Amino acid sequence: MEIYEEGKARIKFNSQSFLNPKAQLSRDLSVAFVKYKTKINPKATVIDTTSATGIRGIRYYKEGGAKEICMLEINNSAFKDLKGNMNYNKMNKDSNVRYYNTSIQEFANSSVRESFDIIDLDPFGSAAPNLTDIMKLARDKSSLMITATDVAVLCGAHYKACLKTYFAQPLHNALCHEVGIRILLGYIARIASLFNFGIEPEISISYLHYVRLFLKLDHGAAAAVKNYESIGYALYCKACGNFALNSPIPHSLNCNVCGHEYSIAGPLWVGRIQDKTVINGVKEVMSQDKVKNDEMTFMSNLSSELDTPLYYSIPALTKMMNVESVSYDRLKEELQSQGHSISKTHMNKESIKTDAGISEVKAAILKVLKSRNMIN
Ligand SMILES: C[S@@+](CC[C@H](N)C(=O)[O-])C[C@H]1O[C@@H](n2cnc3c(N)ncnc32)[C@H](O)[C@@H]1O
Ligand SMILES: [Zn+2]
């Protein structure tokens, strides 16, 4: 039996597979998100649908300010750990704490229909098979926190698996992380629509081996129909590096810069994927709670990241242009002097987000190189 401490949770567990210390950022961020939401709604109830050892549920209750916590775990051995941890964390006799050795499916389809303000789904692999049942646990303004670890599928390393699971074509290049996030959001939007929910993505993270999405649901037919307006395609030109997000169907399948045929990904979510008010609110909570420095750095980067569609990979572009690479700082200086905004992206460390088009980015790269040669 191993012991692991994180935040206010003390966890005893048998199997390493049910508790991954590398997911601490995901948990710290989720605890802060719950805390941010419970400050707005102090009566917020939370369900941790894939509890494993119970670590998230314990933290949402003890640190996040959840009024009630419900935890589900299908696996008998993990549930044994969870039950032990309820004792260990002195939560077993609290009437606001419930835990069941059952599946999401069984719980969501039982005769007593329950709904929650905040719903956590953190499965192994794809979130897709559980989304329908997750929606049955939601109500107007519920928040969803959803993990996917099938990043290779969403990123196009397993093309057919992406077609089969998400009914979407992936893009297997540097853009794949944001395209993958958008494919998953597009899929969530479609399932949400079936239950008359519109989705509003608030935080979208691609980190290490997983994607973690935080979003809000709005109930009503109009909100659900609105999802459709944010469904479209990502277009990428491998001849010149141009890209676009198009909703709903591209007018032309040829690049509007060089005329080459686009590679197409989707259908996917083309709407906003970050909400800076929520990101900054959650960052503030994390700062007050004195999370680790590298987590604060991650949140600061996320907070300053532009929410422009997709990003330019500097190494891919300079390779395509057959020129030397340029530093982020010099490119930033050059693009800013042209009146453009620019930021890094947490999704790909050698890429930039900017409101400049491909021709402007390439011209800026050439200008940086020219000034460098003039100096040398
Ligand atoms: C990745 S682990 C969760 C890890 C945990 N959230 C954490 O942060 O340490 C996924 C857990 O979900 C459970 N699980 C998988 N499918 C489930 C289902 N349909 N209903 C309930 N639990 C499920 C698995 O047994 C496993 O314990
Ligand atoms: Zn092109």
Side-chain angles (χ1 to χ4, degrees):
M1 188 68 96
E2 291 187 51
I3 293 185
Y4 177 77
E5 290 191 23
E6 195 182 274
K8 290 191 177 154
R10 297 171 76 210
I11 301 297
K12 285 188 186 171
F13 63 105
N14 277 309
S15 160
Q16 184 75 31
S17 65
F18 294 117
L19 180 63
N20 186 354
K22 284 195 191 142
Q24 184 173 352
L25 172 70
S26 164
R27 286 188 291 265
D28 285 349
L29 181 51
S30 305
V31 169
F33 181 83
V34 170
K35 202 165 171 181
Y36 171 76
K37 293 285 177 181
T38 57
K39 278 185 180 164
I40 298 166
N41 173 15
K43 291 187 180 155
T45 57
V46 182
I47 182 162
D48 176 5
T49 64
T50 39
S51 284
T53 59
I55 186 164
R56 286 180 195 246
I58 293 169
R59 296 195 60 195
Y60 298 153
Y61 191 65
K62 289 194 160 188
E63 300 168 51
K67 181 93 170 58
E68 283 174 30
I69 178 79
C70 179
M71 289 171 258
L72 311 179
E73 173 51 52
I74 194 173
N75 180 284
N76 294 343
S77 147
F79 185 74
K80 220 170 141 198
D81 285 349
L82 186 153
K83 221 170 145 188
N85 286 320
M86 290 302 116
N87 277 329
Y88 196 42
N89 287 270
K90 302 189 173 41
M91 283 168 62
N92 53 325
K93 295 209 173 90
D94 190 329
S95 61
N96 294 319
V97 176
R98 292 180 289 153
Y99 39 101
Y100 304 106
N101 188 187
T102 189
S103 69
I104 301 163
Q105 289 67 25
E106 213 158 302
F107 187 83
N109 294 295
S110 67
S111 54
V112 187
R113 291 296 290 271
E114 288 194 63
S115 59
F116 298 83
D117 296 299
I118 305 175
I119 301 163
D120 189 333
L121 174 64
D122 181 44
F124 295 126
S126 175
N130 296 311
L131 290 174
T132 301
D133 293 298
I134 288 301
M135 296 300 166
K136 295 177 187 167
L137 301 173
R139 54 181 177 236
D140 190 27
K141 309 288 179 237
S142 284
S143 292
L144 305 183
M145 308 189 286
I146 298 176
T147 310
T149 58
D150 58 338
V151 174
V153 173
L154 289 163
C155 274
H158 308 295
Y159 182 80
K160 286 187 179 166
C162 192
L163 297 184
K164 174 175 81 76
T165 309
Y166 298 101
F167 262 57
Q169 293 189 165
L171 207 56
H172 194 38
N173 62 23
L175 299 179
C176 73
H177 295 284
E178 185 169 329
V179 166
I181 280 178
R182 291 180 180 278
I183 286 174
L184 179 55
L185 281 171
Y187 190 83
I188 293 170
R190 249 183 292 169
I191 306 290
S193 278
L194 284 174
F195 291 85
N196 255 349
F197 288 118
I199 70 162
E200 279 180 41
E202 294 185 322
I203 309 179
S204 305
I205 304 286
S206 164
Y207 188 67
L208 299 178
H209 61 289
Y210 61 86
V211 163
R212 180 83 165 155
L213 305 176
F214 300 81
L215 43 108
K216 195 171 79 185
L217 300 177
D218 282 315
H219 195 254
V225 171
K226 210 156 174 271
N227 283 335
Y228 183 73
E229 290 167 19
S230 292
I231 298 297
Y233 295 85
L235 313 175
Y236 175 72
C237 175
K238 57 175 180 253
C240 77
N242 185 27
F243 58 71
L245 285 183
N246 255 68
S247 171
I249 297 165
H251 294 300
S252 162
L253 298 182
N254 291 100
C255 173
N256 61 357
V257 172
C258 76
H260 192 274
E261 198 179 333
Y262 280 126
S263 304
I264 297 180
L268 43 70
W269 181 259
V270 296
R272 194 182 72 175
I273 63 171
Q274 314 286 10
D275 180 332
K276 284 298 161 66
T277 307
V278 178
I279 289 175
N280 289 330
V282 171
K283 181 178 154 225
E284 182 57 31
V285 171
M286 290 172 86
S287 159
Q288 283 165 4
D289 287 350
K290 299 195 170 34
V291 298
K292 295 185 200 164
N293 288 344
D294 56 342
E295 295 187 0
M296 267 338 281
T297 306
F298 180 89
M299 289 309 289
S300 297
N301 291 341
L302 191 66
S303 162
S304 53
E305 187 168 324
L306 294 179
D307 195 15
T308 51
L310 305 174
Y311 42 80
Y312 298 98
S313 156
I314 301 178
L317 268 187
T318 49
K319 190 172 171 211
M320 191 179 272
M321 294 163 72
N322 208 10
V323 296
E324 283 173 41
S325 197
V326 293
S327 75
Y328 170 75
D329 289 339
R330 280 292 292 116
L331 188 57
K332 179 177 175 183
E333 227 175 277
E334 192 50 50
L335 281 169
Q336 281 180 337
S337 75
Q338 312 276 333
H340 293 294
S341 303
I342 170 169
S343 77
K344 291 188 177 178
T345 169
H346 80 281
M347 295 182 230
N348 187 300
K349 68 176 184 337
E350 290 174 314
S351 293
I352 57 158
K353 279 187 170 275
T354 174
D355 53 5
I358 183 72
S359 307
E360 294 153 323
V361 173
K362 282 184 177 172
I365 290 174
L366 291 176
K367 253 184 136 180
V368 170
L369 289 171
K370 205 168 163 200
S371 71
R372 191 197 284 170
N373 290 340
M374 277 164 70
I375 291 162
N376 291 338

